[in-house]
Amino acid sequence: MSAIGIHDIHAATAHHVLDLDLLAAHRDVDPAKYRLGLGQDRMSVPAPDEDAVTMGASAAAALLRRTGTDGIRALLFATESGVDQSKAAGVYAHRLLGLPPQVRTAELKQACYGGTAALQTAIGLVARNPDDRVLVIASDVARYALDSPGEPTQGAGAVAMLVSADPALVEIEPVSGLSTADVDDFWRPNDRDVPVVDGRLSVDAYLDALTSAWDDFRARGGADVSRIDRFVHHQPYTKMARKAHARLAEHTGAGIGADLIEDGLADNRQIGNSYTASLYLGLCSLLRRDDSLAGKRIGLFSYGSGSVSEFFTGVVRPGYADAMRAAGGMDLDARAPLDLDAYRALHASSGARSDDAETPRVTTAPFRFAGVRGRARVYEATA
Ligand code: COA
């Protein structure tokens, strides 16, 4: 069978940005705790007319301008900040993107692991019908309670990936290491719009899941650690990826230095957590910054609280660097800065609602959430 993997990738984030020094001053915390202790500098904050659908569709629209829509038979939308309990976020995106009706559309959820569930499902669909292509969108708004420990790790972002045979960017290898464990480290009950979090437990659960998934990966014939050239670990905040890498080095006894993860942290430091998208924002950050990766193997660790995790690998294809350069990427300096009061007001007003209301026109992204009419969410192009 020919190679299957990521043919194209594109990331997007939210309209606003908050500098974490402002949050540190408000909370009377040393700014170094956020910059060094958590490894975060800034966080993306959605405008009132943005959500997981608009960010995901914006990322996908940029990708589809390059690839076209021919052969796309499925749209798999991964999110844990979904906008409806029944209708898939992907159905809204499908219309915004002008995809034909002959597409299988569904939403996948398992905390931050959902993006990987979508990617692996897409690979399975392409393996069955190699002429098909699958659009995967991972998109989330990571929103914690004001003044909670998770608040400085908030963020928002989306990644769209086109999965196909003979991919131009990264071939995903068939061996995966898996680990599922029923643990109450982070969850969001149906009557709450911020999660319940045991942050300390989540750090331990993540690290235990990493070694468990790694051991399964090796037991099933996955590459020895010395044959993996770069690593991207899930990043609820970038310090967590450093902790993961140190744990893997200790567990394997290998001399895998922090230089092997550095390029994959750069964008996430500026965006904050993006749940399902976070691992793939890290991959995008690496592919854009390092042009020496052709033929190299990347180890990817996906963790979703609750918990499900997977360690898998991809081999970078020749020509990827030119493709990434030609595609361009997010301009993180173009985000509109918020002061602390504006951020807190936006946070307080951004909970779930289903009563009819118009949404103020703020975002300059390609798509916006116009409001609720007849209890249904309305999305539209901004131009
Ligand atoms: N300068 C530098 N570092 C500092 C510091 C300072 N002035 N003050 C504190 N730190 C460091 C701490 O030593 C700690 O580092 P370590 O983790 O390497 O020990 C880090 O900053 C965080 O401090 P801590 O006191 O543990 O933070 P916290 O109790 O406020 O919460 C989380 C941290 C991660 C638990 C919290 O952000 C959270 O709940 N996040 C959401 C859940 C999550 O993302 N989980 C991750 C796995 S999915």
Side-chain angles (χ1 to χ4, degrees):
M1 184 184 297
S2 65
I4 302 174
I6 303 168
H7 183 69
D8 203 348
I9 189 166
H10 202 96
T13 187
H15 180 74
H16 289 296
V17 64
L18 180 74
D19 194 304
L20 290 186
D21 286 356
L22 300 180
L23 188 62
H26 168 76
R27 293 180 58 157
D28 201 17
V29 166
D30 180 354
K33 173 171 178 180
Y34 298 162
R35 290 187 183 269
L36 299 174
L38 297 177
Q40 295 301 126
D41 295 333
R42 298 190 286 176
M43 63 163 78
S44 286
V45 182
D49 54 350
E50 290 180 315
D51 62 16
V53 171
T54 64
M55 289 189 301
S58 295
L63 180 150
L64 294 177
R65 271 198 294 278
R66 299 193 290 272
T67 63
T69 59
D70 285 357
I72 295 181
R73 294 282 294 166
L75 192 178
L76 303 179
F77 199 114
T79 187
E80 59 176 298
S81 45
V83 296
D84 192 277
Q85 291 283 19
S86 176
K87 183 171 175 175
V91 174
Y92 300 107
H94 174 277
R95 178 179 61 77
L96 293 172
L97 295 167
L99 292 172
Q102 296 77 18
V103 171
R104 177 191 281 119
T105 303
E107 185 168 309
L108 287 89
K109 180 179 69 179
Q110 180 13 66
C112 304
Y113 174 74
T116 303
L119 175 63
Q120 294 291 9
T121 303
I123 290 168
L125 291 172
V126 174
R128 182 147 198 191
N129 291 299
D131 291 335
D132 287 1
R133 303 197 291 174
V134 178
L135 180 61
V136 169
I137 298 176
S139 182
D140 267 305
V141 177
R143 182 172 177 273
Y144 291 87
L146 288 172
D147 303 317
S148 68
E151 186 185 17
T153 71
Q154 293 176 123
V159 173
M161 296 180 273
L162 190 64
V163 174
S164 74
D166 193 21
L169 299 181
V170 182
E171 170 188 358
I172 301 298
E173 295 187 292
V175 178
S176 276
L178 305 172
S179 185
T180 289
D182 187 356
V183 47
D184 292 330
D185 60 334
F186 173 114
W187 67 103
R188 184 160 65 83
N190 285 344
D191 60 350
R192 289 177 59 103
D193 51 31
V194 290
V196 185
V197 190
D198 184 338
R200 298 290 161 90
L201 176 63
S202 77
V203 171
D204 290 342
Y206 175 123
L207 295 174
D208 290 346
L210 169 61
T211 52
S212 173
W214 171 262
D215 289 346
D216 185 50
F217 174 75
R218 289 292 290 142
R220 297 185 66 93
D224 179 74
V225 69
S226 63
R227 294 175 51 229
I228 301 178
D229 304 290
R230 300 287 186 281
F231 294 81
V232 186
H233 306 286
H234 170 55
Q235 298 164 37
Y237 50 97
T238 66
K239 176 75 165 289
M240 189 67 231
R242 294 189 190 282
K243 287 178 192 280
H245 203 60
R247 172 65 71 91
L248 192 61
E250 179 190 291
H251 186 69
T252 59
I256 45 171
D259 53 315
L260 303 187
I261 63 169
E262 213 62 53
D263 285 329
L265 307 181
D267 285 348
N268 293 52
R269 279 191 79 91
Q270 305 300 326
I271 288 172
N273 199 354
S274 56
Y275 294 157
T276 55
S278 158
L279 175 64
Y280 300 98
L281 277 176
L283 176 63
C284 224
S285 178
L286 170 63
L287 294 175
R288 283 179 57 202
R289 282 177 173 78
D290 187 338
D291 60 8
S292 70
L293 294 175
K296 299 261 172 72
R297 179 175 285 113
I298 302 174
L300 296 141
F301 176 62
S302 180
Y303 175 78
S305 287
S307 73
V308 178
S309 58
E310 179 162 345
F311 191 96
F312 61 108
T313 51
V315 176
V316 182
R317 307 278 278 183
Y320 84 95
D322 289 343
M324 292 300 294
R325 238 189 318 274
M330 292 174 290
D331 179 2
L332 294 176
D333 293 331
R335 289 172 294 175
L338 291 171
D339 64 27
L340 209 272
D341 289 344
Y343 150 72
R344 284 179 69 92
L346 206 46
H347 190 290
S349 67
S350 61
R353 60 174 185 271
S354 63
D355 293 333
D356 285 13
E358 291 296 310
T359 311
R361 193 175 279 277
V362 180
T363 184
T364 52
F367 304 111
R368 64 183 294 272
F369 167 52
V372 179
R373 290 177 207 147
R375 295 212 151 225
R377 292 177 81 88
V378 179
Y379 291 93
E380 62 188 16
T382 47

